[in-house]
Amino acid sequence: MNSKMQNYMEQQLFKTLPYKTIAEVTNESVSYIQARKDRTIIPLKTRWKKFNRVCCGGLEPNMILTIAGGSGSGKSAFANTLETDLIDLNTDQEIVILDFSFEMLSYRQIGRKLSNRLRRTTSELYSAEDSIDDATFTKVKEEAERIKKYQIYYIDTPSTVENIEKTIDYFHETIAKDKWLIVILDHALLVEGDTERGTIVDLQKMFIRKKKLSNTSIIQISQMNRNIELPDRINNPSMHFPLRSDLAASDAIFQASDYVIALSRPELLNIQSYGVNRLPVKNKVYLHFLKVRDAGEPCILEFDNELKYGNLIETEGNTTMQQNVVFNNKNRLKL
């Protein structure tokens, strides 16, 4: 057998990867635009109007949203509020939430939801000083009965990327079949594996595969490193804002994510005014959009801190903030 014939036979034995023509993909794109126009595909809204606007209307299907922050920044509380809002504010959608709550026990997550709804701190609800009165406890039980009806499933035990993927597949094919599946992971660094970086890379590759499932969205929480706490950063207003390099395993997370947001509480770092434009810090939380895949430029949103009730209040701010302050390539504010 000559070499030419041998090469031909080897090529015939090789099965190519699935492919689509540009015409097929273009038709899919036009169909998606048509569905958004006709409102047959509607992003899931949150309570934060400016957040929705930056995210092209809200949480979309086939999307990975990464929420990052340092300890105490409010990232878990933000995700907890987001989780409840997606159900409460989108009653026309059938939603199933699969929450890998690796950092916090799930009953504590419910405690935060009750705190938010009843306007009582978790310390008050848990009777840290004085026991709550019977009337308040009655309200707790009433609200708990409402929460029980949500299709939210918690997994408290940290595990491997492989087991997380198998669990997502099971939910997609059974409990969430023909519904909108939202996967929440809190947080990425707690996934089990041989090495931290290798595990993060494998996790992001898996999330890219899973977001391509029908009606599936991914929300992952990640940690900021300690660089932002360095004196050189704190003392230099032009370096106050979180950057891509401040995220743990930032390269893999950035490549996989459609949106990357970083929560910042400059007050915790004893910063007296935030950034070169001297933004206020008293009871403020800033949400920095570090990556916005389709919806425009990175931006900053300002919130009033109500984390004692597990909540952030979107502020009107001044004109500059309403118009979404954006970064130039040097990471300085451009008005």
Side-chain angles (χ1 to χ4, degrees), residues 73-74 263-266 281 283-287 301-307 312:
S73 62
L263 273 76
S264 176
R265 288 180 64 188
V281 300
N283 294 324
K284 293 293 184 181
V285 177
Y286 290 95
L287 196 66
L301 301 182
E302 177 185 338
F303 293 85
D304 287 333
N305 177 358
E306 202 178 60
L307 291 173
L312 293 174

Side-chain angles (χ1 to χ4, degrees), residues 19-29:
Y19 61 85
K20 300 176 183 177
T21 67
I22 190 171
E24 291 173 309
V25 177
T26 301
N27 287 339
E28 289 178 3
S29 180

Side-chain angles (χ1 to χ4, degrees), residues 275-290:
V276 294
N277 281 64
R278 304 180 63 83
L279 302 174
V281 300
K282 184 66 175 176
N283 294 324
K284 293 293 184 181
V285 177
Y286 290 95
L287 196 66
H288 295 256
F289 279 81
L290 303 182

